[in-house]
Amino acid sequence: MAETADAIHHHEAPRGFIRKYIFSLDHKVIGIQYWLLALVAALVGMTLSVLMRLQLAYPNQEFGFLKWIFPNAAANGTISPELYLSLMTMHGTIMVFFVLTTAPQGGFGNYILPIQIGAADMAFPRLNMLSFWTTFLAFVVMVLAFFAETGVIGPIGGWTGYPPLSALGEIAGPGEGTAVMLWIISIALFCIGSLLGALNFITTMLNMRTRGMTLTRLPLTCWAWFTTAVLALLSFPVLLSAGILLLLEHLAGTSFFIPANSIVNGKLLTDRSGGSPILWQHLFWFFGHPEVYIAIVPGMGLTSQVLSTFARKPIFGYRVMIYAIFAIGLLGFFVWGHHMFISGMAPMTATVFSLVTLVIGVPSAIKTFNWLGTMWGARIRFTAAMLFAIGFVSLFVSGGITGLFLGQTSLDLHLHDTYFVAGHFHMIMGVAAIFGMFAGTYYWLPKMFGRMMNETLGKIHFWCTFIGVNCIFIPFHIMGIMGAPRRYSLHWNPVTGEGLQYLQTMGPLTKFASYAAFFTAAAQIIFFANLIYSMFKGPKASENPWEATTLEWVIPSPPPHDNFGGHEPTVYRGPYEYSVPGAPKDYCMQTDPEPSESPESEH
Amino acid sequence: MGKALGILIWLLVVGVVLLFLAHDIWGSAQTWWLPHAISEHGAAYDSEFKITLVVVAIAFILAQIALGYVVFSYGANKAGRAVYSHGNTRLEVTWTVITLAVFGTLGVMGQRVWAGLHFNEAPPGSISVEVTAQQFGWNFRYPGADGQFGRTDPKQVDDSTGNPVGIDEKDPAGKDDIVSTTLSVPVNRPVHLILRSKDVIHSFFVPNLRFKQDLVPGMAINVHFTPIETGRYEITCAELCGLGHYKMRSFLDVMSEEDYAKWLKDRAPAQ
């Protein structure tokens, strides 16, 4: 193995617990911090969703344990409409920001990207530390919102926080005062953290690649993290600005989003005028649509990596995969209006957004075809990581394909803001992205902690979760077709006759989805037990337990402080050279020289 | 493991297909589908929905069956090494062109109902109703015998005195305006709604109409549709508007011309 003796970006290993594990500059520690934060957030978000499913399956029924969890908000043991809406808002916000945006990019990206490109650390280690702690602070502020008001456990507004509801303050109802302010502050902090992280990712990938690591030898994970960072860099500043404007509505009495002559709760607001509620929607979705790709694109990269590793085949159409990711990232900035077809936006504008939206389905379909091509003629090793990657592809198809309904302006006349939408985005940006995170955890945990996870438990976890999530979210589509609106604390209460009559027969579907949710949530105990046990007591992992090819697998598990021991690895090959004819093993590491070639010859 | 997973993915396909056909197969599940359409554009909507469903179903079934197949067939226990291939340009071009053509066609077709409803103004002879939403109720105002809406004044809005939309008492055109909490319209006549909101964003949604439109404070949004079947249908709010969102509902009463005339007459202010 040829290595140069030039130590790049060398810094001393820190001593002392605080510098090593808390305020660490090491991208690996920061990656694990992000990942742990996301795990905690995922537990919180999942718990909230279980409580929501409980209310939907048993509307307004009394449960003794609710008094114990929410002594103020559920003093009588039932979930009130306002408590339900605050559960829903916090579930969405925590899942989108602190799980889907945090783990795939901040967690795995931070840990793996520098190693996969052969660098000793991120380009700006201090900035990296700052971005994590800003994100952590954002989470603390979000948690404070749980306790800000009595009767609710946070703001009421959904993760989209549409004004004027979110801008008017207490007069608009419970959860619109202090809780919503803390929510905005948290999101603003999160934007800053993500922005700093994005700068770091882009610089690192462009500048710090090791010798021989040309752009077309980069693993697809790196391309995915890079594209995600570009999306974050361009979209988070817009949300940050919008968030500041919304905060000023509360603190300074401005009127960016509140029009003249608003009459709220019987009171004419004489001090507000000139604002536009739709302005927020444009700003929010200019961020919000790229955001769904920020959640899913790292999962696409990860799936490519894991599929290729365990299929023992090079990725099918490597370059096409990169072009497709770029196309998704680029087109992702021109489709935000499809969230607003019926918002009051001009109908012709909606048509333009609709057409671009249908086109963005093409690169997504291309990725699916290439994943299938990768597995065609393969010799698949069914590890837990591989199962979750295959599950990702299945969920990506099921969740993505319903976009063909929702992208059409005409069909949105009925489907918009129904459970059909909730089913669509939970399948694709929710559980598909989470399957990416599970695949990443099973795949990289041996590298991160030097211990193997239990494969049998991992497989049981996969079977339960894959069946479970399909049982939860596929019925959502039928509910949406029936016309069930989102964000309702009850659709039909058979006991009191409260609710929407046309949804009287939906009960069995609702209950089925709820039971599936309880089952799926319970199955996650298997994952957490396996994770915690394996992190400390699992069998020791070798350097390259999966017989994979990329650079993280040439160094010890866990890697030393500066990754490559002060030496710069040299790369001779593409990232996915599996089953090369004539090679002694069924994989060739990126650092294995080709007999006839020098590293520079392919430039 | 691979064989089992392949079969599971195929079973998933069967399960999804059965669920989507349940309304046709089992009598007790017949409501698990689009509610009965009662608007002029309803039939076109339902046919566009069905075309999309067929395209999506074909793509879904083919993709999942293929995934199940590769997982079923190419386990590591198969003899020899995996096929060494980096891709196939002709295949890439083929599937890109096909998906672009299919998705593009769907996109263009998907504008038809939309354009028919939204790219032109309400036809002459429409019934005009002004809808003013508020947390958590609906106000439907009819112009009365003079066919003209009276001026409104936000300062005169008062739910307790029966003037929820603030009709200016000084404007004679407003004297005969009728304000109702339900929406009554005659059958087979185009309905022109002027949508407003007092406080936060709401959304006017009638599943049987296949119609939904947000009501945005500060805006007057003009829309129209034509109900073609009499009956009582539920109106729901489809945009989160606060704690009472789930119970912000009303009714659309589609009635014969005679019943509608009587309905208006019964509500005309005595003068």
Side-chain angles (χ1 to χ4, degrees), chain B residues 217-238:
Chain B
M219 287 175 78
I221 299 170
N222 291 277
V223 294
H224 59 93
F225 50 80
T226 308
I228 54 170
E229 235 177 82
T230 56
R232 169 161 261 217
Y233 309 100
E234 285 170 287
I235 301 170
T236 77
C237 177

Side-chain angles (χ1 to χ4, degrees), chain B residues 168-264:
Chain B
D168 188 347
E169 58 179 16
K170 285 189 282 251
D171 182 6
K175 296 285 184 216
D176 61 349
D177 286 7
I178 297 165
V179 179
S180 164
T181 55
T182 57
L183 175 59
S184 291
V185 293
V187 70
N188 293 327
R189 283 266 294 276
V191 177
H192 166 217
L193 298 182
I194 305 143
L195 301 169
R196 301 174 187 276
S197 169
K198 283 189 199 174
D199 39 33
V200 301
I201 301 174
H202 303 275
S203 193
F204 174 90
F205 178 30
V206 182
N208 297 94
L209 278 180
R210 305 283 186 276
F211 189 82
K212 185 185 286 120
Q213 176 62 51
D214 284 4
L215 301 91
V216 183
M219 287 175 78
I221 299 170
N222 291 277
V223 294
H224 59 93
F225 50 80
T226 308
I228 54 170
E229 235 177 82
T230 56
R232 169 161 261 217
Y233 309 100
E234 285 170 287
I235 301 170
T236 77
C237 177
E239 187 64 75
L240 177 59
C241 58
L243 67 105
H245 173 49
Y246 75 101
K247 57 183 177 191
M248 180 169 163
R249 63 178 194 136
S250 179
F251 291 97
L252 165 70
D253 290 309
V254 183
M255 42 184 81
S256 65
E257 285 282 355
E258 305 85 74
D259 288 349
Y260 176 65
K262 182 171 180 305
W263 184 86
L264 279 180

Side-chain angles (χ1 to χ4, degrees), chain A residues 48 53 111 137 153 184 194 253 259 296 303 310 389 444 446 454 468 487 558 566 573-575 599:
Chain A
L48 300 177
R53 290 307 320 174
Y111 195 106
L137 184 64
I153 53 138
I184 302 164
S194 298
I296 195 77
T303 296
F310 296 111
W444 280 315
N454 183 297
R487 298 170 169 179
R573 291 168 187 267

Side-chain angles (χ1 to χ4, degrees), chain A residues 1-3 211-213 217 570-574 589-594 597-600 602:
Chain A
M1 192 181 294
E3 282 183 349
R211 211 141 66 91
M213 183 58 91
R217 284 177 179 164
T570 305
V571 168
Y572 299 91
R573 291 168 187 267
M589 307 293 293
Q590 287 195 278
T591 49
D592 291 350
E594 303 224 20
E597 274 189 294
S598 72
E600 270 77 22
E602 257 197 31

Side-chain angles (χ1 to χ4, degrees), chain B residues 7-31:
Chain B
I7 292 168
L8 176 68
I9 293 172
W10 293 332
L11 286 177
L12 167 75
V13 175
V14 174
V16 172
V17 169
L18 283 179
L19 183 63
F20 275 73
L21 293 177
H23 66 284
D24 264 346
I25 305 175
W26 295 289
S28 57
Q30 62 183 347
T31 52

Side-chain angles (χ1 to χ4, degrees), chain A residues 383-393 435-436 438-439 442 458 461-462 465:
Chain A
T383 59
M386 184 62 172
L387 293 177
F388 275 100
I390 294 167
F392 177 98
V393 177
F435 268 49
F438 281 137
Y442 286 106
H461 173 225
F462 166 78
T465 310

Side-chain angles (χ1 to χ4, degrees), chain A residues 72-97:
Chain A
N72 292 322
N76 58 359
T78 60
I79 293 178
S80 63
E82 53 270 34
L83 176 59
Y84 177 87
L85 290 174
S86 58
L87 288 169
M88 181 273 294
T89 303
M90 291 299 260
H91 164 76
T93 310
I94 287 177
M95 286 301 201
V96 170
F97 290 99

Side-chain angles (χ1 to χ4, degrees), chain B residues 59-74:
Chain B
F60 171 80
I61 292 168
L62 288 181
Q64 299 283 11
I65 288 201
L67 179 63
Y69 174 77
V70 293
V71 169
F72 187 93
S73 307
Y74 297 113

